[in-house]
Amino acid sequence: MTSAAFDVLGIGNAIVDVITRADDAFLARHELTKGSMMLIDEARAETLYAAMGPGIEVSGGSCGNTMAGVASFGGKGAYIGKVKQDQLGAVFGHDLKSIGVSFDTPQATSGPSTARCLIMVTPDAQRTMNTYLGACTGLGPDDIDPGVVGAAQVTYVEGYLWDAPEAKKAVLKAFDAAHAAGRLVSITLSDSFCVGRYRDEFRALIRDKVDILFGNESEITSLYEVDSFEKALEATRKEAKIAALTRSEKGSVVIKGGETYAVPAAPVSRIVDTTGAGDLYASGFLFGFTRGKPLAECARLGGIAAAEIISHVGARPETALKDLI
């Protein structure tokens, strides 16, 4: 690729995570579906927050986590996402900039507060997420600078952005700007519920616009409405240019045309919290990809990042990923 100021530009929902431990009874009491991400309004956010036990607050958001991972590997990253000019907005911006990610999206001065995601981690390390999008919904085409998009080797977005119509328009503008500049675009399917909401749109995107697709086993089987990973793999092969599909402890499979690379999961001493595993896998893969590494090596780097993130609470690396490779 021609010279670029950034390896990866991420566009996502700028969210501060509030993470607490909970048992299955808590999930049942509050009618939460284990392992899912549900969108909630501000009133529901306040109710759940009041019921939660002690927790930690840390900047998150699926794409934000990926960009933190890219930076931890030593990559050059930029981020576009909307926060409000409030306490959580300041926390989010500081956390990204402090690790070297460029983040210049103008803050909202009115309207909803900065987004938050209330995450319940059960003893089996599953995470159940409840997201109040807040200021995220203010992200729109005006926030996309084609010059910044063109300065990144890959523009990476989260499927969750399809939940906000203006954010979707922003993504499509960025995709067009990237391709006009001879750059690549990438999307993660985000979760199987998200896939269910936008299946037809996502499949059209994969066929027509996306260069690199990320998803996990449940997301990709939902996308193609099949009952096995093998069937989903063959369906993906017909539509995606490159797809990196994760399978938890089974590792990941990368496909490109007739090529298939099955890469085992990286060893992890103990699984504490699976929040962000897919986000960090994407960071490792994209870090390797933007350095011209073979696809199997990109997947190996993704697995290393995922293993680090599930070994502790929170979806931002605690150990510098560049030290693990």
Side-chain angles (χ1 to χ4, degrees), residues 171-237:
V171 169
L172 295 175
K173 177 181 176 181
F175 280 5
D176 289 344
H179 285 147
R183 306 299 191 182
L184 301 182
V185 302
S186 178
I187 191 170
T188 175
L189 293 173
S190 292
D191 79 12
S192 56
F193 292 86
C194 188
V195 169
R197 293 193 288 274
Y198 308 108
R199 181 176 291 109
D200 292 343
E201 288 185 66
F202 283 171
R203 286 189 60 180
L205 273 179
I206 292 163
R207 288 191 299 266
D208 301 335
K209 292 185 181 291
V210 170
D211 300 297
I212 306 169
L213 171 68
F214 291 95
N216 64 26
E217 189 163 357
S218 66
E219 291 158 5
I220 205 69
T221 53
S222 172
L223 183 70
Y224 291 106
E225 299 181 279
V226 293
D227 57 9
S228 75
F229 180 73
E230 288 69 27
K231 291 177 183 176
L233 201 63
E234 292 316 305
T236 307
R237 197 187 301 276

Side-chain angles (χ1 to χ4, degrees), residues 54-292:
I56 63 168
E57 293 185 354
V58 59
S59 294
S62 172
C63 185
N65 296 336
T66 299
M67 297 315 303
V70 169
S72 187
F73 274 110
K76 297 174 291 183
Y79 181 82
I80 295 173
K82 204 75 170 176
V83 298
K84 190 179 182 183
Q85 204 170 57
D86 57 18
Q87 183 179 352
L88 288 182
V91 167
F92 186 92
H94 172 268
D95 285 355
L96 267 189
K97 291 175 182 177
S98 69
I99 56 174
V101 176
S102 176
F103 176 43
D104 297 314
T105 311
Q107 294 181 333
T109 55
S110 60
S113 57
T114 295
R116 72 210 71 148
C117 182
L118 309 180
I119 303 176
M120 323 300 168
V121 181
T122 38
D124 58 2
Q126 277 283 343
R127 79 281 187 273
T128 302
M129 302 183 289
N130 303 270
T131 304
Y132 166 58
L133 287 175
C136 285
T137 57
L139 181 70
D142 289 347
D143 294 307
I144 302 300
D145 180 346
V148 174
V149 176
Q153 289 192 53
V154 179
T155 291
Y156 170 84
V157 308
E158 56 189 71
Y160 287 137
L161 290 172
W162 256 247
D163 285 318
E166 288 301 301
K168 179 167 72 172
K169 292 177 187 175
V171 169
L172 295 175
K173 177 181 176 181
F175 280 5
D176 289 344
H179 285 147
R183 306 299 191 182
L184 301 182
V185 302
S186 178
I187 191 170
T188 175
L189 293 173
S190 292
D191 79 12
S192 56
F193 292 86
C194 188
V195 169
R197 293 193 288 274
Y198 308 108
R199 181 176 291 109
D200 292 343
E201 288 185 66
F202 283 171
R203 286 189 60 180
L205 273 179
I206 292 163
R207 288 191 299 266
D208 301 335
K209 292 185 181 291
V210 170
D211 300 297
I212 306 169
L213 171 68
F214 291 95
N216 64 26
E217 189 163 357
S218 66
E219 291 158 5
I220 205 69
T221 53
S222 172
L223 183 70
Y224 291 106
E225 299 181 279
V226 293
D227 57 9
S228 75
F229 180 73
E230 288 69 27
K231 291 177 183 176
L233 201 63
E234 292 316 305
T236 307
R237 197 187 301 276
K238 294 173 184 175
E239 296 194 333
K241 296 177 182 69
I242 297 174
L245 307 173
T246 57
R247 307 188 72 191
S248 300
E249 71 279 0
K250 296 176 185 174
S252 66
V253 177
V254 183
I255 55 176
K256 178 185 180 183
E259 302 169 31
T260 304
Y261 306 94
V263 178
V268 57
S269 55
R270 64 184 186 127
I271 300 174
V272 175
D273 173 13
T274 57
T275 306
D279 305 336
L280 270 292
Y281 175 88
S283 71
F285 188 98
L286 291 172
F287 174 78
F289 187 86
T290 55
R291 274 155 180 72

